[in-house]
Amino acid sequence: MAITEYEDKIKEIVNREDHSGFIYDFLSIYDRISKATITKLRKGSNNLSKVSGEVHLKNKLYFKEVSSQVLQGYSDLEEKIKSLKSKPRYVIVTDYDQLLAKDEKTGDTLDIKFKELPRYFDFFSRHHERMIFRRLFCLQLTWTAIGMRLRRL
């Protein structure tokens, strides 16, 4: 999938009025999690968390929806994760105004406005993929700058 396709799909999900299915729609964009797994997760059979507003997919993701105080929700979830046997790769907490996320494998963190999520789609891709996307983006900016300079001549 092209970079712009990821951004467009995430933008569509973020701009919806109803965010009740956000995490499932968001996961469906990335190829690493099968549709069957997402369906089971939505129905609750693969969700290791039994707390309303939380989705825990073993070794992959721990998502928490809060009504306010995103930082406090994130802190509470981090404490909860310390006691888990299988740690999720990604931790995400949002109130749909702000989004906090952490890649537990790399230690990278994200603290953004929810509407900015499409610009950070690569945060949730594999680390080497993330580096490739960043390099491509930098190359694109470089070529754009070169093109602008050439036009001035």
Side-chain angles (χ1 to χ4, degrees):
M1 190 180 316
I3 293 171
T4 55
E5 289 178 285
Y6 279 105
E7 289 178 2
D8 291 344
K9 287 185 177 194
I10 295 170
K11 192 179 293 183
E12 178 188 322
I13 293 168
V14 165
N15 289 328
R16 291 181 185 159
E17 290 294 319
D18 179 15
H19 292 112
S20 61
F22 163 75
I23 193 61
Y24 310 109
D25 296 335
F26 183 71
L27 290 173
S28 70
I29 293 172
Y30 297 94
D31 298 333
R32 293 185 317 260
I33 300 174
S34 71
K35 289 181 182 180
T37 299
I38 294 170
T39 300
K40 289 177 186 176
L41 192 60
R42 189 185 294 263
K43 291 180 180 178
S45 59
N46 275 10
N47 188 356
L48 299 178
S49 177
K50 302 306 175 200
V51 177
S52 178
E54 291 185 1
V55 175
H56 179 200
L57 181 58
K58 185 177 181 177
N59 299 326
K60 302 278 186 197
L61 167 91
Y62 209 126
F63 171 82
K64 182 173 184 171
E65 178 182 277
V66 295
S67 57
S68 64
Q69 298 182 340
V70 176
L71 188 56
Q72 183 61 50
Y74 180 83
S75 179
D76 295 345
L77 192 55
E78 283 280 299
E79 284 300 313
K80 186 183 225 179
I81 289 171
K82 287 179 184 176
S83 66
L84 298 175
K85 290 180 184 175
S86 72
K87 309 285 189 227
R89 169 74 187 263
Y90 297 102
V91 177
I92 304 170
V93 178
T94 187
D95 62 357
Y96 303 108
D97 286 322
Q98 180 183 8
L99 183 134
L100 296 177
K102 182 176 182 183
D103 181 334
E104 294 288 336
K105 185 175 180 181
T106 65
D108 292 342
T109 58
L110 192 62
D111 181 0
I112 58 171
K113 296 286 183 193
F114 184 71
K115 295 281 187 185
E116 295 173 350
L117 186 58
R119 292 192 329 211
Y120 296 93
F121 71 92
D122 63 327
F123 181 85
F124 300 97
S125 63
R126 292 185 183 117
H127 188 69
H128 71 277
E129 292 172 341
R130 195 174 323 152
M131 298 311 292
I132 290 168
F133 281 128
R134 286 182 183 158
R135 287 184 190 132
L136 287 173
F137 183 71
C138 288
L139 282 173
Q140 182 180 8
L141 289 178
T142 302
W143 282 109
T144 302
I146 290 170
M148 291 173 70
R149 286 183 188 148
L150 289 174
R151 285 188 202 119
R152 286 187 216 147
L153 296 175

